[in-house]
Amino acid sequence: MSAYGSLGSSRLDRLVRQLTRLPGIGTKSATRIALHLLHNDASESRELAECIVEMKQKVRSCKRCGAICEEEECGICRDERRRNGQLCVVEQPTDIFSLERAAVYRGRYHVLGGLLSPLDGVEPDHLRLAELVGRVKEEAISEVVLALSASVEGEATALYAARSLQGVSVRITRLATGIPVGGHLEFVDDVTLERAFSGRQNVD
Amino acid sequence: MSAYGSLGSSRLDRLVRQLTRLPGIGTKSATRIALHLLHNDASESRELAECIVEMKQKVRSCKRCGAICEEEECGICRDERRRNGQLCVVEQPTDIFSLERAAVYRGRYHVLGGLLSPLDGVEPDHLRLAELVGRVKEEAISEVVLALSASVEGEATALYAARSLQGVSVRITRLATGIPVGGHLEFVDDVTLERAFSGRQNVD
């Protein structure tokens, strides 16, 4: 139901219901959007509907790394200027954008598609771990950087991935844990502080 | 552009751009919604697209009052239990829902479709004023309640509507202006206070 109850049209009510299924959209926003679409140009709503359908048809996962793309392989996998031999493992495709924005890494990526979480039913088989091991062997990877969240699930997944690569001659690293830039010691939690301490670095 | 810049697919980027045209949706929400649609069931995005198209095709304005409906006339206009002879004039269809929710009025409605605002290019011809005068005469209306916003535009429109009905034998009223229920005198602005004073009522 909309923010006003029924809007006097079952089609409009149905659209409101569909919109509330989207993340971050409550009944008030859904009602506002539905009424906006009702009152605005027919071309705008047609374009939106087309965009949704076309996106769903054309967008897929890169066959190699699992990133979002429209071709067989994504732009990064096809980019010859990227450094070979280095593989950065991330949870989801959007993590690639975060790392690319920071422009700190020039190698290749591998998307796991999630983090291990037995309680939520995410088992090793659901992640692209076998593909990771395969690529490390085939692409003669010398370093795997595990760029996963510093959460319990992230750490468990990092450990599992490292164990999956046992016996393969490859350097396995992970992102440093510590105090975020701009973070005050006062507000940093104990676990992070402990990690920052044990991972302390020499001042040159 | 999405919250991450390009999402690696022109179709996905285009959907994000379309979504940011909706009210209350910024790039972050648009990105989140687009990725949600990408990862979820194809049936969900298909239904959403269908809902948008179908709503736009089927929903129209009530021929008589201007409310949202799917038939020639809306439910309230067709409802024989509603009181005839009383017409409540509102700015937009959603105002009807607000009044219906409060359940204070049992007569008929008339939607103007906006408020006079010369600076925004809204002239009397753009509003359903001629229709209002026509209905007052044809439907033998004895009272027109102007339920418009207490804004400058609302007051100008109310005055204009009242003038349009000059010469027609009908009682014209408007909603009372005053302190909202639960409002503290301390926080009420001067204009409202003045109106509340001049409109003061006897205590029975």
Side-chain angles (χ1 to χ4, degrees):
Chain A
M1 271 306 138
S2 83
Y4 300 101
S6 170
L7 288 173
S9 149
S10 62
R11 264 96 176 186
L12 204 55
D13 292 342
R14 191 174 147 228
L15 175 59
V16 171
R17 265 200 310 281
Q18 282 291 330
L19 288 168
T20 50
R21 295 175 64 181
L22 300 175
I25 304 291
T27 44
K28 280 213 172 170
S29 308
T31 307
R32 209 169 143 211
I33 293 171
L35 289 170
H36 166 91
L37 289 173
L38 174 63
H39 292 304
N40 264 44
D41 260 16
S43 66
E44 184 184 339
S45 44
R46 198 175 47 237
E47 269 180 66
L48 177 59
E50 279 171 9
C51 272
I52 293 170
V53 172
E54 209 174 282
M55 178 280 287
K56 203 65 190 170
Q57 282 169 349
K58 299 293 168 94
V59 179
R60 47 178 166 167
S61 290
C62 170
K63 221 178 89 182
R64 187 179 295 266
C65 77
I68 296 167
C69 68
E70 296 184 11
E71 293 83 25
E72 280 269 287
E73 291 198 353
C74 74
I76 294 179
C77 281
R78 282 180 292 136
D79 188 347
E80 292 181 3
R81 290 162 305 173
R82 303 287 304 205
R83 199 180 298 139
N84 288 316
Q86 215 178 6
L87 213 52
C88 179
V89 177
V90 294
E91 180 192 343
Q92 50 190 5
T94 48
D95 294 335
I96 297 179
F97 306 129
S98 304
L99 287 161
E100 287 296 295
R101 199 175 40 193
V104 286
Y105 176 70
R106 294 292 303 158
R108 311 283 179 177
Y109 288 97
H110 187 82
V111 178
L112 282 184
L115 294 178
L116 289 181
S117 177
L119 287 178
D120 299 320
V122 184
E123 309 273 349
D125 292 350
H126 298 118
L127 306 183
R128 299 177 68 251
L129 279 162
E131 288 89 335
L132 172 64
V133 178
R135 284 186 71 187
V136 169
K137 288 176 183 166
E138 277 161 36
E139 298 177 26
I141 301 297
S142 56
E143 181 183 0
V144 168
V145 185
L146 299 168
L148 303 173
S149 298
S151 60
V152 174
E153 290 83 6
E155 312 240 318
T157 311
L159 263 172
Y160 197 96
R163 209 174 299 161
S164 305
L165 288 165
Q166 248 174 2
V168 187
S169 160
V170 62
R171 181 182 172 211
I172 301 171
T173 58
R174 59 194 292 181
L175 296 189
T177 324
I179 302 162
V181 175
H184 286 273
L185 222 65
E186 196 178 348
F187 303 118
V188 173
D189 65 284
D190 293 353
V191 185
T192 304
L193 215 50
E194 192 202 310
R195 294 281 181 84
F197 231 98
S198 63
R200 66 190 180 279
Q201 288 152 343
N202 291 326
V203 180
D204 297 322
Chain B
M1 273 305 138
S2 82
Y4 300 101
S6 169
L7 288 173
S9 148
S10 62
R11 263 97 176 185
L12 205 54
D13 292 342
R14 191 174 147 228
L15 175 58
V16 171
R17 264 201 310 281
Q18 283 289 331
L19 288 168
T20 50
R21 294 176 66 180
L22 300 176
I25 304 291
T27 45
K28 282 213 169 169
S29 308
T31 307
R32 207 168 146 212
I33 292 171
L35 290 170
H36 166 91
L37 289 173
L38 174 63
H39 292 304
N40 264 44
D41 260 15
S43 66
E44 184 185 339
S45 42
R46 199 176 45 238
E47 269 180 66
L48 177 59
E50 280 171 7
C51 273
I52 293 170
V53 172
E54 208 175 283
M55 178 280 287
K56 203 65 190 173
Q57 283 169 349
K58 299 293 168 92
V59 179
R60 48 178 166 168
S61 291
C62 170
K63 221 177 88 183
R64 187 179 295 268
C65 76
I68 297 167
C69 68
E70 297 184 12
E71 292 84 25
E72 280 269 287
E73 291 197 354
C74 74
I76 293 179
C77 282
R78 281 180 292 137
D79 189 347
E80 293 182 2
R81 288 163 307 173
R82 304 288 303 206
R83 199 179 298 139
N84 287 318
Q86 216 178 7
L87 213 51
C88 179
V89 176
V90 294
E91 179 192 343
Q92 49 189 8
T94 47
D95 295 334
I96 296 178
F97 305 128
S98 304
L99 286 162
E100 287 296 294
R101 198 177 39 196
V104 285
Y105 176 71
R106 294 293 302 158
R108 310 285 180 177
Y109 288 98
H110 187 80
V111 179
L112 282 185
L115 294 178
L116 289 181
S117 177
L119 287 178
D120 300 321
V122 185
E123 309 274 346
D125 292 351
H126 298 119
L127 306 183
R128 300 176 69 251
L129 279 162
E131 288 89 335
L132 172 64
V133 178
R135 284 186 71 187
V136 169
K137 287 175 184 168
E138 277 162 35
E139 297 178 25
I141 301 296
S142 57
E143 181 182 1
V144 169
V145 185
L146 298 168
L148 303 173
S149 298
S151 60
V152 176
E153 290 82 8
E155 311 239 317
T157 311
L159 263 173
Y160 196 97
R163 210 174 298 161
S164 305
L165 288 165
Q166 249 175 0
V168 186
S169 160
V170 64
R171 182 183 171 207
I172 302 171
T173 57
R174 59 194 292 181
L175 297 190
T177 324
I179 302 161
V181 176
H184 285 272
L185 223 64
E186 197 179 346
F187 303 117
V188 172
D189 64 284
D190 293 354
V191 184
T192 303
L193 215 51
E194 192 202 310
R195 293 280 182 83
F197 231 100
S198 63
R200 66 192 180 277
Q201 289 153 342
N202 292 327
V203 180
D204 297 323

